[in-house]
Amino acid sequence: VTLMGWGEPTMHPNFKEMLEILSKHSARKYFCTNGMLLDELHDAIFECEVEGFAVSLDGATAETNDRIRRGADFNKIIENVRKIVNTI
């Protein structure tokens, strides 16, 4: 099951609940995110055994990414991804 579409899927107020429901079945779980809320989803990603996720960026540097994607914090996104990688 791919949890994505137009907009940021992790902003849905029931996103964690959706992961929990899917983890009760044999469905593989994947989502694409801007990465800003990965810190809030860290535990759920592992508890619900998410098979994969992609992080979409608009630039390879903080300056470029944050200028193009309003409201983004490149450094926070990178830190969120690092925390997940360090948990693996």
Side-chain angles (χ1 to χ4, degrees), residues 18-27 29 47-49:
M18 287 185 255
L19 291 177
E20 291 168 0
I21 291 168
L22 291 170
S23 67
K24 294 177 182 177
H25 304 280
S26 61
K29 296 160 287 300
E47 291 168 3
C48 296
E49 300 178 336

Side-chain angles (χ1 to χ4, degrees), residues 25-75:
H25 304 280
S26 61
R28 296 178 65 192
K29 296 160 287 300
Y30 170 84
F31 62 93
C32 185
T33 178
N34 64 22
M36 289 293 292
L37 299 176
L38 285 175
D39 53 341
E40 297 176 24
L41 293 171
H42 180 277
D43 293 341
I45 288 169
F46 291 97
E47 291 168 3
C48 296
E49 300 178 336
V50 172
E51 281 78 8
F53 64 90
V55 176
S56 173
L57 297 169
D58 286 321
T61 66
E63 180 184 14
T64 302
N65 185 77
D66 297 353
R67 179 175 39 82
I68 295 170
R69 188 169 290 186
R70 293 181 187 153
D73 182 340
F74 182 87
N75 293 320

